[in-house]
Amino acid sequence: GTSSYSHQGYGCESKLYSLDHGHEKPQDKKKKTSGLATLKKKFIKRRKSSRSADHAKQMRELLSGWDVRDVNALVEEYEGTSALKELYLQANLARPEARTLQKDMAELYQYKYCTDVDLIFQETCFPVHRAILAARCPFFKTLLSSSPEYGAEIVMDINTAGIDMPMFSALLHYLYTGEFGMEDSRFQNVDILVQLSEEFGTPNSLDVDMRALFDYMCYYDVVLSFSSNSDLVETFGGSQNCLDEELRAHKAIISSRSPFFRHLLQRRIRTGEEITDRTLRTPTRIILDESIIPKKYAKVILNCMYTDVVDLSVLHSSPSVGSLSEVQALVAGKLNMTRAEEAMELYHIALFLEFNMLAQGCEDIIAESISLDTLIAILKWSSQPYGSKWVHRQALHFLCEEFTQVMTSDVFYELSKDHLLTAIQSDYLQASEQDILKYLIKWGEHQLMKRIADREPNLLSGTAHSVNKRGVKRRDLDIEELREILSPLLPFVRIEHILPMNSEVLSDAMKRGLISTPPSDMLPTSEGGKSNAWLRQKNAGIYVRPRLFSPYVEEAKSVLDEMMVEQTDLVRLRMVRMSNVPDTLYMVNNAVPQCCHMITHQQVSTNQSSPPSVIANEIP
């Protein structure tokens, strides 16, 4: 089509326009692109609405001969399926609850992982973490700065009256979690709270203070380093034992958020390595293999540990340092990874670290990025043993909801048989049975063409030594092999629900022998027979629930509403007619009929004064 335009002078007009107006500004190009995109969306929307109108018309034609009770039964069936769909969606979204920062901080205060200072109050020792108290409370920041050594014992002297040991423990719990952790009426006393705020200061929210702790890393006591693979280091001019840029952190935070780091630090304590670090007053160094945990994800991991937020923008904001992970990405051709691919890689690291909050954050990012372009890649990744089952459910849900859009695109032919089978088994698939059958056959023909290309590439057009310039046509395909490809899928097409009743797609599939002819009770032999396959009450065989296809559901509800209005008007009309008819039962005995099949007209006219001896329809 574009070549014909150039012959008609459209190409010359564009050249003249460029000469008159010079180079187009980027804004103009953007406006043109956005205008074309909007026009394209309008055409797609119009096409969808027209297809939806066709489906509604087919459903209306089906219900045209139905009784109002049958239509009501069908609508009730749809409503029941809709209620099941709501439960199904909630079950799909369900997953184990990830431990939040607040819960992990409460566990940190309870089990005292990696404490570095002791507070003595009323002859009771409270092991705590210097960095957390200093970040949360100005009083403790000043107090702890006077005793910087590890394991210092600080005797607490509190001026506020009425503070006992349980209340002091609740105050520490509040600094760790933002909640007091105990029910005490004294915490409802405004005067006591005012006195505590005057002495200790009023802390910010836990999120704000932990964010500040991550940004400034005050009192850090651990350093994360990343080792490089010896082969790659030698190739790119480094030493075998070189260490990349170090990252600072706090033992308390990483041990409370990740069982991997907690077990690692506990093992160092058992082996005595921790005592050496304390004696030398140097931060503990943890060396991580960058082939397992790439350095570029380290800041994202630490940020999530301190804030519960998975922020992948950190990957692109930090300057490139030429680390091993970047070299590996360059070698593998993955330097420009998409947001979803980065989340997939980070998800595996989160599982290795046993950091569920990070893993679920990555799942959310992947699920949000599901679209027509990313569907195949996400389905393949999530169906693997190392993939996310939760993401897999979301991708299958997208496939079922957008099936009409998927099957008309090239993406449809890239779907695997297993994913396609799962979709067509669903009661909530958004497509008509005729379209499902039509595009399943097209998918099977495409798979058969791929098989032929693998076996005999010269048979297909476009190859260097093509035997047949036109390629393999549909009539040349082996029906037996096509039937073998489609045999697991076609039984799940609900043939009895195909509309219209005289579907050409169904007739063509029967002629080709791809599906068997439906039984006689499924064919529309009578007016009542049309509804047998759709209604549970009238189905004599195995009942198959009709899919919850939105155009069908909406049109069935609309037809039912119209029928109910007609029935209501008819009942009202009958009531009006009955109210105008008087009660004439008492007049039956004296009634004189106008005509009677047993009395001639002459007898009635000559003897009008005497009533007849026999009255028609009267019981003697």
Side-chain angles (χ1 to χ4, degrees), residues 62 66 74 77-78 494-499 501 518-519 521-524 527-547:
L62 173 70
W66 286 27
L74 178 61
E77 186 71 35
Y78 278 139
R494 304 175 188 187
I495 308 295
E496 60 275 14
H497 297 155
I498 288 182
L499 296 179
M501 307 296 291
D521 60 340
M522 291 185 182
L523 297 175
E527 287 295 320
K530 290 183 181 181
S531 61
N532 287 345
W534 294 78
L535 299 178
R536 189 183 299 271
Q537 298 86 347
K538 293 191 175 183
N539 191 274
I542 300 176
Y543 176 71
V544 179
R545 181 186 290 117
R547 297 188 202 270

Side-chain angles (χ1 to χ4, degrees), residues 44-169:
I44 293 174
K45 188 175 182 180
R46 189 179 304 168
R47 195 183 311 154
K48 284 184 178 179
S49 61
S50 64
R51 290 178 63 86
S52 180
D54 293 340
H55 294 313
K57 181 180 178 181
Q58 294 168 2
M59 174 55 72
R60 182 170 287 272
E61 290 175 355
L62 173 70
L63 301 180
S64 59
W66 286 27
D67 185 71
V68 63
R69 289 170 293 184
D70 292 341
V71 178
N72 183 62
L74 178 61
V75 171
E76 288 182 351
E77 186 71 35
Y78 278 139
E79 290 175 348
T81 308
S82 178
L84 289 176
K85 183 179 180 180
E86 291 296 325
L87 297 176
Y88 169 78
L89 294 179
Q90 293 179 15
N92 266 356
L93 291 172
R95 56 182 171 181
E97 184 180 0
R99 294 186 62 85
T100 61
L101 173 64
Q102 187 182 50
K103 289 184 178 180
D104 284 336
M105 293 291 284
E107 186 176 282
L108 176 65
Y109 176 69
Q110 180 181 1
Y111 294 106
K112 319 294 183 186
Y113 303 131
C114 306
T115 58
D116 53 3
V117 65
D118 296 332
L119 301 180
I120 309 299
F121 181 74
Q122 293 184 357
E123 299 182 355
T124 304
C125 179
F126 292 88
V128 292
H129 304 87
R130 182 188 304 271
I132 295 174
L133 293 186
R136 294 281 288 146
C137 179
F139 172 83
F140 282 108
K141 183 177 182 180
T142 305
L143 179 66
L144 295 172
S145 62
S146 61
S147 302
E149 64 277 5
Y150 175 84
E153 293 185 355
I154 302 175
V155 179
M156 297 296 301
D157 184 14
I158 300 177
N159 298 325
T160 304
I163 303 298
D164 55 7
M165 187 184 67
M167 193 169 186
F168 181 73
S169 177

Side-chain angles (χ1 to χ4, degrees), residues 186-212:
R186 288 174 292 180
F187 291 120
Q188 307 298 327
N189 191 327
V190 178
D191 295 334
I192 294 179
L193 293 178
V194 169
Q195 293 177 22
L196 289 174
S197 63
E198 290 176 352
E199 183 170 1
F200 290 92
T202 304
N204 301 313
S205 65
L206 182 64
D207 298 336
V208 172
D209 286 336
M210 295 303 292
R211 178 78 227 185

